[in-house]
Amino acid sequence: MTMPFGRSLSTIGAAVAIAGCGGAEEPPDLPATASAGEPLTIEAREYVFAPNRVKLRGASGTVRQRIVLDNVGDLAHDIEILDGDRVVDRLRSFPAGQARSVSVRLRPGSYRFVCTVADHDEKGMRGTLEVR
């Protein structure tokens, strides 16, 4: 059974609140499923992305995907989308309380994303994006 995306974000928000602000080495598993081509919002806070395991469904070939990073934390954050070691695209760091977006072209496959600010990645601020 697939949970509707809005309900999934509510569940994610509760899980992030429970996880707290500690710098855990392994982030909590915060999955979501979204439609390819529809805007995808990812929340950034210390030190986790929510969701951090995203499945984009319905891609037929290369898709233009708008990713919105909503910085709801207390620190500056960014996002870098990677295909292996190759940087697909990135949003430079920006202050808390703001949201920014990037539009990326993605082929079906697996990607990862990280926050490159200071040691945020090492503290668990990373995730995966699967385009199918």
Side-chain angles (χ1 to χ4, degrees):
M1 181 170 112
T2 302
M3 188 181 303
F5 189 63
R7 188 168 165 203
S8 176
L9 285 180
S10 297
T11 303
I12 289 166
V16 169
I18 291 168
C21 294
E25 292 297 318
E26 285 303 315
D29 185 28
L30 304 171
T33 301
S35 296
E38 295 295 319
L40 168 65
T41 298
I42 298 175
E43 288 187 352
R45 69 177 73 226
E46 293 72 44
Y47 292 96
V48 68
F49 286 118
N52 61 7
R53 187 167 50 94
V54 181
K55 290 184 181 181
L56 291 178
R57 300 282 186 207
S60 56
T62 301
V63 64
R64 173 144 320 266
Q65 186 66 46
R66 182 170 170 242
I67 298 174
V68 178
L69 186 64
D70 187 6
N71 187 349
V72 297
D74 295 322
L75 303 173
H77 293 295
D78 68 13
I79 192 168
E80 188 171 83
I81 299 110
L82 301 154
D83 182 3
D85 291 330
R86 183 180 67 84
V87 176
V88 175
D89 214 330
R90 69 174 55 111
L91 278 172
R92 301 273 182 216
S93 66
F94 60 94
Q98 296 182 15
R100 303 220 175 135
S101 67
V102 62
S103 185
V104 296
R105 294 176 55 86
L106 302 171
R107 293 181 304 215
S110 295
Y111 301 84
R112 58 189 179 93
F113 53 93
V114 297
C115 180
T116 65
V117 173
D119 61 350
H120 294 194
D121 179 16
E122 291 81 18
K123 288 186 173 183
M125 204 163 180
R126 58 187 173 270
T128 59
L129 176 62
E130 189 178 317
V131 180
R132 299 284 175 235

